[in-house]
CSV table of all heavy atoms in Angstrom, one decimal:
chain,number,residue,atom,x,y,z
A,11,ALA,N,0.9,-1.2,0.0
A,11,ALA,CA,0.0,0.0,0.0
A,11,ALA,C,0.9,1.2,0.0
A,11,ALA,O,2.0,1.2,0.5
A,11,ALA,CB,-0.9,0.0,1.2
A,12,PRO,N,0.4,2.3,-0.5
A,12,PRO,CA,1.2,3.6,-0.5
A,12,PRO,C,1.4,4.0,0.9
A,12,PRO,O,0.6,3.9,1.8
A,12,PRO,CB,0.4,4.6,-1.3
A,12,PRO,CG,-1.0,4.0,-1.3
A,12,PRO,CD,-0.9,2.5,-1.2
A,13,GLY,N,2.6,4.6,1.1
A,13,GLY,CA,2.9,5.1,2.4
A,13,GLY,C,2.1,6.4,2.7
A,13,GLY,O,1.5,7.0,1.9
A,14,ARG,N,2.2,6.8,4.0
A,14,ARG,CA,1.4,7.9,4.4
A,14,ARG,C,1.9,9.2,3.8
A,14,ARG,O,1.1,10.1,3.5
A,14,ARG,CB,1.4,8.0,5.9
A,14,ARG,CG,0.4,7.1,6.6
A,14,ARG,CD,0.6,6.9,8.1
A,14,ARG,NE,-0.4,6.1,8.6
A,14,ARG,CZ,-0.5,4.8,8.4
A,14,ARG,NH1,0.3,4.2,7.7
A,14,ARG,NH2,-1.5,4.1,9.0
A,15,ALA,N,3.2,9.3,3.5
A,15,ALA,CA,3.8,10.5,2.8
A,15,ALA,C,3.2,10.6,1.4
A,15,ALA,O,2.8,11.7,1.0
A,15,ALA,CB,5.3,10.4,2.8
A,16,GLN,N,3.1,9.4,0.7
A,16,GLN,CA,2.5,9.4,-0.6
A,16,GLN,C,1.0,9.8,-0.6
A,16,GLN,O,0.6,10.6,-1.4
A,16,GLN,CB,2.6,8.1,-1.3
A,16,GLN,CG,4.1,7.7,-1.6
A,16,GLN,CD,4.2,6.3,-2.1
A,16,GLN,OE1,3.8,5.4,-1.4
A,16,GLN,NE2,4.7,6.1,-3.3
A,17,VAL,N,0.3,9.3,0.4
A,17,VAL,CA,-1.1,9.6,0.5
A,17,VAL,C,-1.3,11.1,0.8
A,17,VAL,O,-2.1,11.8,0.2
A,17,VAL,CB,-1.8,8.8,1.7
A,17,VAL,CG1,-3.2,9.3,2.0
A,17,VAL,CG2,-1.8,7.3,1.3
A,18,PHE,N,-0.4,11.7,1.7
A,18,PHE,CA,-0.5,13.1,2.0
A,18,PHE,C,-0.2,13.9,0.8
A,18,PHE,O,-0.9,14.9,0.5
A,18,PHE,CB,0.5,13.4,3.1
A,18,PHE,CG,0.5,14.9,3.5
A,18,PHE,CD1,-0.5,15.4,4.3
A,18,PHE,CD2,1.5,15.7,3.1
A,18,PHE,CE1,-0.5,16.7,4.7
A,18,PHE,CE2,1.5,17.1,3.5
A,18,PHE,CZ,0.5,17.6,4.3
A,19,THR,N,0.8,13.6,0.0
A,19,THR,CA,1.1,14.3,-1.3
A,19,THR,C,-0.1,14.2,-2.2
A,19,THR,O,-0.4,15.2,-2.9
A,19,THR,CB,2.4,13.7,-1.9
A,19,THR,OG1,3.5,13.8,-1.0
A,19,THR,CG2,2.7,14.4,-3.2
A,20,THR,N,-0.7,13.1,-2.3
A,20,THR,CA,-1.8,12.9,-3.2
A,20,THR,C,-3.0,13.8,-2.8
A,20,THR,O,-3.7,14.4,-3.6
A,20,THR,CB,-2.3,11.4,-3.3
A,20,THR,OG1,-1.2,10.6,-3.7
A,20,THR,CG2,-3.5,11.2,-4.2
A,21,VAL,N,-3.2,13.8,-1.5
A,21,VAL,CA,-4.3,14.7,-0.9
A,21,VAL,C,-4.0,16.2,-1.2
A,21,VAL,O,-4.9,16.9,-1.7
A,21,VAL,CB,-4.5,14.5,0.6
A,21,VAL,CG1,-5.3,15.5,1.2
A,21,VAL,CG2,-5.1,13.1,0.9
A,22,VAL,N,-2.8,16.6,-1.1
A,22,VAL,CA,-2.4,18.0,-1.3
A,22,VAL,C,-2.6,18.3,-2.8
A,22,VAL,O,-3.2,19.3,-3.2
A,22,VAL,CB,-1.0,18.3,-0.9
A,22,VAL,CG1,-0.5,19.6,-1.4
A,22,VAL,CG2,-0.9,18.2,0.6
A,23,ASP,N,-2.2,17.4,-3.7
A,23,ASP,CA,-2.3,17.6,-5.1
A,23,ASP,C,-3.8,17.6,-5.5
A,23,ASP,O,-4.2,18.5,-6.3
A,23,ASP,CB,-1.6,16.5,-5.9
A,23,ASP,CG,-0.1,16.5,-5.8
A,23,ASP,OD1,0.4,17.6,-5.4
A,23,ASP,OD2,0.6,15.5,-6.1
A,24,THR,N,-4.6,16.8,-4.9
A,24,THR,CA,-6.1,16.8,-5.2
A,24,THR,C,-6.7,18.1,-4.7
A,24,THR,O,-7.5,18.7,-5.4
A,24,THR,CB,-6.8,15.6,-4.5
A,24,THR,OG1,-6.1,14.4,-4.9
A,24,THR,CG2,-8.2,15.6,-4.8
A,25,PHE,N,-6.2,18.6,-3.6
A,25,PHE,CA,-6.7,19.9,-3.0
A,25,PHE,C,-6.4,21.0,-4.0
A,25,PHE,O,-7.2,21.8,-4.3
A,25,PHE,CB,-6.1,20.1,-1.7
A,25,PHE,CG,-6.2,21.6,-1.2
A,25,PHE,CD1,-7.4,22.1,-0.8
A,25,PHE,CD2,-5.1,22.4,-1.3
A,25,PHE,CE1,-7.5,23.4,-0.4
A,25,PHE,CE2,-5.1,23.7,-0.9
A,25,PHE,CZ,-6.4,24.2,-0.5
A,26,LEU,N,-5.2,21.0,-4.5
A,26,LEU,CA,-4.8,22.0,-5.5
A,26,LEU,C,-5.6,22.0,-6.7
A,26,LEU,O,-6.0,23.0,-7.3
A,26,LEU,CB,-3.3,21.9,-5.8
A,26,LEU,CG,-2.3,22.5,-4.7
A,26,LEU,CD1,-0.9,22.1,-5.1
A,26,LEU,CD2,-2.5,23.9,-4.6
A,27,GLU,N,-5.8,20.8,-7.2
A,27,GLU,CA,-6.7,20.6,-8.5
A,27,GLU,C,-8.1,21.2,-8.2
A,27,GLU,O,-8.6,21.9,-9.1
A,27,GLU,CB,-6.7,19.2,-8.9
A,27,GLU,CG,-5.5,18.6,-9.4
A,27,GLU,CD,-5.6,17.1,-9.7
A,27,GLU,OE1,-6.7,16.6,-9.7
A,27,GLU,OE2,-4.5,16.5,-9.9
A,28,LYS,N,-8.6,20.9,-7.1
A,28,LYS,CA,-10.0,21.4,-6.8
A,28,LYS,C,-10.0,22.9,-6.5
A,28,LYS,O,-11.0,23.5,-6.9
A,28,LYS,CB,-10.6,20.6,-5.6
A,28,LYS,CG,-10.9,19.2,-5.9
A,28,LYS,CD,-11.6,18.4,-4.8
A,28,LYS,CE,-11.9,17.0,-5.3
A,28,LYS,NZ,-12.8,16.3,-4.5
A,29,LEU,N,-8.9,23.4,-6.0
A,29,LEU,CA,-8.8,24.8,-5.8
A,29,LEU,C,-8.8,25.5,-7.1
A,29,LEU,O,-9.5,26.5,-7.3
A,29,LEU,CB,-7.6,25.1,-4.9
A,29,LEU,CG,-7.4,26.6,-4.6
A,29,LEU,CD1,-8.5,27.1,-3.7
A,29,LEU,CD2,-6.0,26.8,-4.0
A,30,VAL,N,-8.0,25.0,-8.0
A,30,VAL,CA,-7.9,25.6,-9.3
A,30,VAL,C,-9.2,25.5,-10.1
A,30,VAL,O,-9.6,26.5,-10.7
A,30,VAL,CB,-6.7,25.0,-10.1
A,30,VAL,CG1,-6.8,25.4,-11.6
A,30,VAL,CG2,-5.4,25.3,-9.5
A,31,ALA,N,-9.9,24.4,-9.9
A,31,ALA,CA,-11.2,24.2,-10.6
A,31,ALA,C,-12.2,25.2,-10.0
A,31,ALA,O,-13.0,25.7,-10.7
A,31,ALA,CB,-11.7,22.7,-10.4
A,32,ALA,N,-12.1,25.4,-8.7
A,32,ALA,CA,-13.1,26.3,-8.0
A,32,ALA,C,-12.8,27.7,-8.5
A,32,ALA,O,-13.7,28.6,-8.6
A,32,ALA,CB,-13.0,26.2,-6.5
A,33,GLY,N,-11.6,28.0,-8.8
A,33,GLY,CA,-11.2,29.4,-9.3
A,33,GLY,C,-11.0,29.3,-10.8
A,33,GLY,O,-10.0,29.7,-11.3
A,34,SER,N,-12.0,28.8,-11.5
A,34,SER,CA,-11.9,28.7,-12.9
A,34,SER,C,-11.8,30.0,-13.7
A,34,SER,O,-12.1,31.1,-13.1
A,34,SER,CB,-13.2,27.9,-13.4
A,34,SER,OG,-14.3,28.8,-13.3
A,35,TYR,N,-11.3,29.9,-14.9
A,35,TYR,CA,-11.1,31.1,-15.7
A,35,TYR,C,-12.4,31.8,-15.9
A,35,TYR,O,-12.5,33.0,-15.9
A,35,TYR,CB,-10.5,30.6,-17.0
A,35,TYR,CG,-10.3,31.8,-18.0
A,35,TYR,CD1,-9.4,32.8,-17.6
A,35,TYR,CD2,-11.0,31.9,-19.2
A,35,TYR,CE1,-9.2,33.9,-18.5
A,35,TYR,CE2,-10.8,33.0,-20.0
A,35,TYR,CZ,-9.9,34.0,-19.7
A,35,TYR,OH,-9.7,35.0,-20.5
A,36,GLN,N,-13.5,31.0,-16.1
A,36,GLN,CA,-14.8,31.6,-16.3
A,36,GLN,C,-15.2,32.5,-15.1
A,36,GLN,O,-15.7,33.6,-15.2
A,36,GLN,CB,-15.9,30.6,-16.5
A,36,GLN,CG,-17.2,31.1,-17.1
A,36,GLN,CD,-17.0,32.0,-18.3
A,36,GLN,OE1,-16.3,31.6,-19.3
A,36,GLN,NE2,-17.6,33.1,-18.4
A,37,ARG,N,-15.0,32.0,-13.9
A,37,ARG,CA,-15.3,32.8,-12.7
A,37,ARG,C,-14.4,34.1,-12.6
A,37,ARG,O,-14.9,35.1,-12.2
A,37,ARG,CB,-15.1,32.0,-11.4
A,37,ARG,CG,-16.2,31.0,-11.2
A,37,ARG,CD,-16.0,30.2,-9.9
A,37,ARG,NE,-17.0,29.2,-9.8
A,37,ARG,CZ,-17.2,28.5,-8.7
A,37,ARG,NH1,-16.5,28.7,-7.7
A,37,ARG,NH2,-18.2,27.6,-8.7
A,38,PHE,N,-13.1,33.9,-13.0
A,38,PHE,CA,-12.2,35.0,-13.0
A,38,PHE,C,-12.7,36.1,-14.0
A,38,PHE,O,-12.8,37.3,-13.7
A,38,PHE,CB,-10.8,34.5,-13.4
A,38,PHE,CG,-9.8,35.5,-13.3
A,38,PHE,CD1,-9.2,35.9,-12.1
A,38,PHE,CD2,-9.3,36.2,-14.4
A,38,PHE,CE1,-8.2,36.8,-12.0
A,38,PHE,CE2,-8.3,37.1,-14.3
A,38,PHE,CZ,-7.7,37.4,-13.1
A,39,VAL,N,-13.2,35.6,-15.2
A,39,VAL,CA,-13.7,36.5,-16.2
A,39,VAL,C,-14.9,37.2,-15.7
A,39,VAL,O,-15.1,38.4,-15.9
A,39,VAL,CB,-13.9,35.8,-17.5
A,39,VAL,CG1,-14.8,36.6,-18.5
A,39,VAL,CG2,-12.6,35.4,-18.1
């Protein structure tokens, strides 16, 4: 199974993707 460090990194990356999706270009416009 992936280690906790890998899981943490995956969670952070997922958070960033969702943050960018929430701040979409259309909303910015």
Side-chain angles (χ1 to χ4, degrees):
R14 280 166 175 71
Q16 290 173 302
V17 171
F18 181 76
T19 301
T20 303
V21 167
V22 168
D23 291 344
T24 304
F25 163 75
L26 282 174
E27 288 173 15
K28 291 187 178 196
L29 181 67
V30 169
S34 68
Y35 179 64
Q36 192 56 46
R37 287 185 181 185
F38 188 79
V39 166

